[in-house]
Amino acid sequence: MGRVTKADVAQGLTVLESRFGKTLTPDAVVLYARILIEEGMTREEWKAAVMAAFRYSRFFPSPQELIEYARGAEDELAETDWYHLVDSLFNNGPLVLSDTGRKALASLGGWAYVREIFHPRLREEFLRAWKAHAKRERRQALLALPEQAGGDREEISDIDDTEDPTEWAMKWAEKEMRRWKKLGLS
């Protein structure tokens, strides 16, 4: 079960290009590859994502849509952990949660707290905590990337959450494409 490569991504995108009658620029293919590689996608996940996008998408999928096809949308993953938690709580079964689910549970006070104080807003609190931990994990993964593969760490960590995300993403994509060309990776 190896990691997806630029060649794997290019091959899968070619299949999707034929399905949707769209041709991506080489820079766009590089950007898709970079995002999926940084996400840590495996070859098996990539194949599943391409097949799902080919089958279900009405329009050419974004990298995030492909990630969600491969792994399930974040909301679904959070809900799955919530249902495992409730099942364990009421059926005395084993507690089976993802790493993110365990961190969310810990941030709410842990298993003992949840068993003692099960209230109507607990689901909402758990899902909010789950998503916060998932966001933090993604940001930490970006910050942990090596300089050559991950871009400028300072630039990534200095993201202003109030800045227009579309504008920031366009600026970032342009910088990254220029940097990748300099490195000979495009």
Side-chain angles (χ1 to χ4, degrees):
M1 182 155 99
R3 298 278 182 207
V4 70
T5 65
K6 184 179 170 187
D8 296 329
V9 173
Q11 184 180 16
L13 290 175
T14 300
V15 170
L16 294 175
E17 286 174 334
S18 68
R19 158 72 168 83
F20 295 101
K22 180 176 182 163
T23 303
L24 297 176
T25 66
D27 288 340
V29 172
V30 168
L31 196 52
Y32 267 82
R34 180 166 186 260
I35 291 167
L36 299 172
I37 290 167
E38 287 177 357
E39 188 66 29
M41 187 173 283
T42 65
R43 285 184 164 150
E44 290 74 19
E45 288 174 329
W46 175 239
K47 288 176 187 176
V50 170
M51 289 182 70
F54 193 92
R55 184 174 183 183
Y56 300 113
S57 290
R58 294 180 58 200
F59 305 102
F60 201 93
S62 69
Q64 185 61 40
E65 288 170 319
L66 292 167
I67 291 165
E68 289 174 2
Y69 276 133
R71 298 185 178 155
E74 232 176 51
D75 289 343
E76 291 174 26
L77 295 172
E79 288 285 350
T80 299
D81 273 348
W82 170 250
Y83 289 118
H84 285 288
L85 177 68
V86 171
D87 182 56
S88 296
L89 185 64
F90 290 108
N91 297 323
N92 293 323
L95 181 59
V96 180
L97 297 177
S98 68
D99 289 340
T100 306
R102 282 192 287 281
K103 289 174 185 173
L105 178 61
S107 72
L108 294 178
W111 180 243
Y113 171 79
V114 171
R115 289 185 77 152
E116 291 297 317
I117 304 179
F118 190 85
H119 56 84
R121 294 194 47 149
L122 187 61
R123 176 182 174 274
E124 188 178 310
E125 291 173 18
F126 178 82
L127 296 177
R128 188 178 316 118
W130 196 101
K131 291 174 187 175
H133 282 285
K135 184 177 181 180
R136 188 174 304 121
E137 288 169 4
R138 282 193 307 275
R139 183 161 288 187
Q140 287 173 344
L142 281 174
L143 293 173
L145 289 170
E147 190 68 32
Q148 201 174 38
D152 187 1
R153 291 183 195 165
E154 292 171 12
E155 183 179 313
I156 293 170
S157 63
D158 291 341
I159 296 171
D160 179 6
D161 290 335
T162 61
E163 185 177 359
D164 176 30
T166 305
E167 185 178 321
W168 179 86
M170 292 304 293
K171 288 179 196 174
W172 175 80
E174 289 169 3
K175 278 185 179 178
E176 287 300 297
M177 285 189 270
R178 285 193 301 271
R179 196 172 65 75
W180 276 56
K181 281 182 182 177
K182 285 180 188 174
L183 294 171
L185 298 173
S186 62

